Amino acid sequence: MNIEETLKKIKFDEKGLVPAIAQDVATKEVLMMAYMNEESIKKTLESGYATYYSRSRQQLWKKGETSGHLQEIKGFYYDCDGDTILIKVKQIGPACHTGEYSCFHNPVVEYAFEEDMLNKLFRIIDNRKEN
Amino acid sequence: MNIEETLKKIKFDEKGLVPAIAQDVATKEVLMMAYMNEESIKKTLESGYATYYSRSRQQLWKKGETSGHLQEIKGFYYDCDGDTILIKVKQIGPACHTGEYSCFHNPVVEYAFEEDMLNKLFRIIDNRKEN
């Protein structure tokens, strides 16, 4: 991994930030979304722990530094147009400051889902292609 | 579900937008992130299909309208501070315009992960509390 090369692939917004989605590597649940700047990406990749940029406090924010609810980096990805980051983390304790496991604990709608055969088949084939 | 009540809970940015993460309800993989405005949230919840706001084209964008790669809404959530949306979708075909299943197909780092017992236990207890 070359951090400088990675930074060149990332499109930062006019404030020098990029949204970063944190996903639990174990459960695959989406935990939270926060922002990173160049420095926080460097810190994240160098230290192996998620470090964001706090827009309210205007400073680097190592997730869990005071609470102990650290996020150990297990994967770091950027999307097709380089303007969003996805990190897969080993989440220590709850991710949300409310004490909830995930920040996305407010459902507006939730429908039952049963995967149909065609979709399942597509997914299996697609997975085989990739792995 | 009351759409007007939902809209009151969402904090739109200075451009009237809010980031929306799309997750595959079947595989739990994160597929993409795009932006929604008030109107696109209404359309999404009313139609049952993900509708974003295209910042480049400056118009509503029903995902898959031309490609057929629709996202059927199976869950709609907002986060603890109301500034990010998570949708769980039944993804028809690939999510990414490149033809890849997910937009996050560029890994920078990927480490092996083996869940330790303590973490697993925490997760089981936390799940039991919620369900």
Side-chain angles (χ1 to χ4, degrees), chain A residues 31-61:
Chain A
L31 298 172
M32 57 179 280
M33 202 206 72
Y35 291 82
M36 290 186 177
N37 64 2
E38 266 204 33
E39 205 188 338
S40 73
I41 291 174
K42 276 185 202 165
K43 290 266 185 203
T44 297
L45 291 172
E46 284 167 1
S47 69
Y49 287 93
T51 304
Y52 302 99
Y53 178 81
S54 167
R55 295 178 301 168
S56 54
R57 286 178 285 136
Q58 298 190 25
Q59 62 183 38
L60 286 198
W61 156 45

Side-chain angles (χ1 to χ4, degrees), chain A residues 27-29 76 108 123, chain B residues 27-29 76 108 110 123:
Chain A
T27 66
K28 299 179 96 174
E29 293 295 336
F76 188 106
V108 175
R123 205 157 52 68
Chain B
T27 66
K28 300 179 94 176
E29 293 295 336
F76 187 107
V108 175
E110 255 176 344
R123 206 156 52 67

Side-chain angles (χ1 to χ4, degrees), chain A residues 102-114:
Chain A
S102 160
C103 291
F104 296 96
H105 51 263
N106 300 302
V108 175
V109 292
E110 255 176 343
Y111 302 110
F113 171 69
E114 242 182 278

Side-chain angles (χ1 to χ4, degrees), chain B residues 70-87:
Chain B
L70 297 162
Q71 295 180 330
E72 193 182 322
I73 299 295
K74 292 296 175 188
F76 187 107
Y77 311 78
Y78 56 88
D79 73 345
C80 52
D81 50 5
D83 65 1
T84 310
I85 287 167
L86 172 68
I87 54 175

